[in-house]
Amino acid sequence: MDILKQLKDVIISVLPIGIVASVLSIATGVMDGTEFCRFMLSCLLVIIGLTLFLTGVEVGITPIGGHIGSSLTKSRSLLIMLGAALLLGVIITIPEPDVQVLATEVNQVNPSIPVKTLTYAIAAGVGLFFAISLARTVLNWPMKIIIAISYSFIFLIAFFNDDFLVSVAFDSGGATTGPLSVPFIMALGTGVAAIRKHNEEAEFGYVALSSIGPVLSVLILGLVFRQESLGSIIAEEASDPALLSLLGEKFQSVGISLAPLVAVCILMQILVLKTPKTEAIREFSGIIYSYIGIVIFFTGVEYSFSDVAKELGSALISINPLLLYGAGFVFGLCVVLAEPAVIVLTDQVEEASSGRISKKVMLATLALGVGCAVVLALIRTVHSLSIWTFILPGYILVMLFMIKTPGLFSAIGFDSGGVATGPMSSAFLLPLAMGAASASSSATLSASFGMIAMIAMMPVLLIEILGIIYQSRLRKTGKGDK
């Protein structure tokens, strides 16, 4: 259990955002001395919460996911494997921090969509498409075909939804792939992929396909919760909750959300896994770490962290939109450069390309791409532009590039879309856009959604381009596909 390493990674992730936000907030008069102290305490809670949470994921969630994945392959029953994947995909998504934050933000703008309803819809989508991703591995289905068919259905149903629900749907796909679900899905998928050792592409794509499901399920949900004028709904003023009261509330709500996962893990341990006692105790202690971490993280986010982001967005747009865009670009760079999962991804691409696409090139490209994605999302928010203006041409390019992109890079590319959308996207960047929307005469709160969708889309495009470059270089040396 390397908790100090996790603490270092989280500090590197959160501290730059906290420093930049503090400087800008003080300069614009958003925070006085008391509010600054609240924000610092909030940042501390976010850091402690994420550290405990990620440590618990490493110690408990990931190993348990690997054990379950290995045990599923031994069952020799595709139906059992797919049923288990569906169930596990649902119960691992419900307590996901990114999903909970997004559902809460959506409810503030459109109270007719309950937090639990949206959460369960997202979870159902993850479960269904996680099962499909495992079927793809076992039956050797081509991933590109699954993606093409899935997005065809997505855009067909999206045509019958309004901009707000389309934005929320694509945001849901990015928020789903958070720090709780990704390690579990990857570990379980890797266990199943062991039966396809000769297929390098089988090791990737589980996160990518799992993130498609929520987009589809939320669009279907949107047909039920359609309203004539979502943009006119005004979010309620944030309350000023007492810290201990908020902490107690989160202990209860998170405990209820995590209970199904804990129950399934205990049942699997007793009936199937039968992990040695010492190892089982260690893994379940990891779940406890994750539980405490999520509670503290949520408390920090709701205590002041997201509120400061909203106030900062409002202040910057009131002074000059260019200040908002510049700050958004910097925040985008901070988020992607400090995201631990992005570092892991760049290592994978460097290894998969035999060093031809270096880690530094990948990191710089992703950082630039995410920074630009945040700026584009803020421009859309301020001017209330349709989400179709960005999503449609973006995914047309994704599909066109996918034709020429090597299968491995397609899988890595779609996985990377989820990797780039860490907890800070839901907890800080989306509230920043909401704050800007509330202070702009030409913007609506509903237009602030789509931020996570933009961040998730950009890495897919960039890695596909890098894959095409890699394939071209191989062909020049006579090693590529003929």
Side-chain angles (χ1 to χ4, degrees):
M1 183 187 301
D2 195 352
I3 195 169
L4 291 180
K5 181 182 180 300
Q6 294 289 4
L7 176 61
K8 178 183 176 182
D9 290 342
V10 171
I11 289 175
I12 292 174
S13 176
V14 177
L15 196 58
I17 294 177
I19 292 173
V20 175
S22 297
V23 171
L24 289 175
S25 297
I26 293 173
T28 56
V30 167
M31 290 193 294
D32 57 22
T34 301
E35 290 169 334
F36 177 75
C37 291
R38 283 175 58 89
F39 181 63
M40 288 296 100
L41 177 57
S42 184
C43 288
L44 180 61
L45 291 173
V46 168
I47 289 172
I48 293 173
L50 276 179
T51 299
L52 292 175
F53 171 68
L54 293 174
T55 300
V57 167
E58 182 180 342
V59 173
I61 303 297
T62 300
I64 291 173
H67 295 329
I68 294 175
S70 298
S71 67
L72 288 178
T73 60
K74 296 176 183 177
S75 70
R76 303 293 182 183
S77 171
L78 182 60
L79 287 179
I80 292 176
M81 183 183 300
L82 299 186
L86 176 62
L87 175 63
L88 290 168
V90 170
I91 65 175
I92 200 67
T93 303
I94 290 173
E96 174 62 59
D98 294 12
V99 173
Q100 293 287 335
V101 173
L102 175 65
T104 301
E105 300 287 4
V106 170
N107 180 257
Q108 288 181 6
V109 176
N110 184 354
S112 73
I113 303 180
V115 172
K116 288 185 178 180
T117 300
L118 181 57
T119 301
Y120 293 153
I122 293 172
V126 173
L128 175 61
F129 272 75
F130 182 42
I132 291 174
S133 70
L134 294 189
R136 161 229 168 198
T137 298
V138 176
L139 302 176
N140 206 24
W141 291 342
M143 182 174 170
K144 290 183 179 181
I145 299 299
I146 298 175
I147 289 176
I149 293 174
S150 299
Y151 275 100
S152 296
F153 276 112
I154 283 173
F155 281 104
L156 177 63
I157 298 176
F159 179 77
F160 296 99
N161 275 273
D162 53 45
D163 263 29
F164 176 67
L165 268 305
V166 173
S167 301
V168 171
F170 279 94
D171 277 353
S172 299
T176 300
T177 50
L180 177 61
S181 58
V182 167
F184 188 86
I185 287 173
M186 288 295 292
L188 203 155
T190 300
V192 175
I195 65 176
R196 293 282 180 185
K197 291 182 180 179
H198 63 283
N199 188 349
E200 188 181 34
E201 186 181 333
E203 298 180 12
F204 299 94
Y206 299 101
V207 175
L209 292 178
S210 298
S211 65
I212 290 176
V215 183
L216 195 56
S217 62
V218 173
L219 286 172
I220 295 173
L221 182 71
L223 298 178
V224 178
F225 285 95
R226 289 184 69 181
Q227 292 191 5
E228 293 183 3
S229 181
L230 289 169
S232 63
I233 297 175
I234 304 298
E236 297 178 3
E237 285 294 320
S239 59
D240 188 13
L243 183 60
L244 292 180
S245 174
L246 186 59
L247 189 64
E249 176 190 328
K250 295 306 170 187
F251 259 108
Q252 181 179 2
S253 61
V254 172
I256 293 173
S257 297
L258 269 178
L261 174 61
V262 175
V264 169
C265 288
I266 292 174
L267 195 62
M268 289 291 292
Q269 168 64 19
I270 295 173
L271 300 179
V272 181
L273 301 179
K274 302 185 186 301
T275 308
K277 184 177 179 180
T278 303
E279 186 177 350
I281 292 174
R282 174 183 169 86
E283 290 173 355
F284 279 96
S285 71
I287 294 179
I288 295 174
Y289 271 98
S290 296
Y291 170 47
I292 296 173
I294 295 177
V295 169
I296 296 175
F297 170 77
F298 279 146
T299 301
V301 167
E302 292 194 21
Y303 185 61
S304 175
F305 199 77
S306 292
D307 288 342
V308 167
K310 291 178 183 178
E311 292 172 8
L312 183 59
S314 176
L316 290 174
I317 191 66
S318 299
I319 297 172
N320 192 316
L322 293 180
L323 285 177
L324 174 68
Y325 303 149
F329 183 78
V330 173
F331 286 132
L333 293 179
C334 291
V335 165
V336 74
L337 287 175
E339 180 62 49
V342 169
I343 305 301
V344 174
L345 176 70
T346 56
D347 288 334
Q348 289 177 328
V349 173
E350 186 173 54
E351 180 180 349
S353 65
S354 302
R356 288 180 173 84
I357 299 177
S358 70
K359 179 178 178 179
K360 290 182 179 179
V361 170
M362 266 288 298
L363 197 57
T365 305
L366 286 176
L368 180 63
V370 172
C372 291
V374 174
V375 173
L376 289 175
L378 290 173
I379 291 174
R380 161 180 137 71
T381 297
V382 172
H383 297 285
S384 287
L385 300 175
S386 170
I387 187 66
W388 290 100
T389 306
F390 302 93
I391 292 295
L392 185 58
Y395 276 98
I396 287 176
L397 287 176
V398 165
M399 295 302 154
L400 290 176
F401 287 154
M402 188 173 66
I403 297 172
K404 294 292 185 179
T405 304
L408 174 62
F409 278 88
S410 289
I412 293 175
F414 278 92
D415 278 353
S416 70
V419 165
T421 52
M424 293 301 102
S425 297
S426 299
F428 193 86
L429 294 179
L430 178 55
L432 180 75
M434 293 179 70
S438 66
S440 175
S441 58
S442 61
T444 59
L445 281 171
S446 60
S448 58
F449 290 85
M451 170 71 74
I452 301 173
M454 298 288 286
I455 296 174
M457 181 179 66
M458 193 65 72
V460 184
L461 277 170
L462 297 175
I463 292 181
E464 283 185 336
I465 293 171
L466 289 178
I468 293 172
I469 293 172
Y470 167 66
Q471 186 71 9
S472 176
R473 289 181 178 178
L474 282 184
R475 285 174 176 165
K476 288 181 181 179
T477 60
K479 298 179 181 179
D481 297 335
K482 301 296 182 184

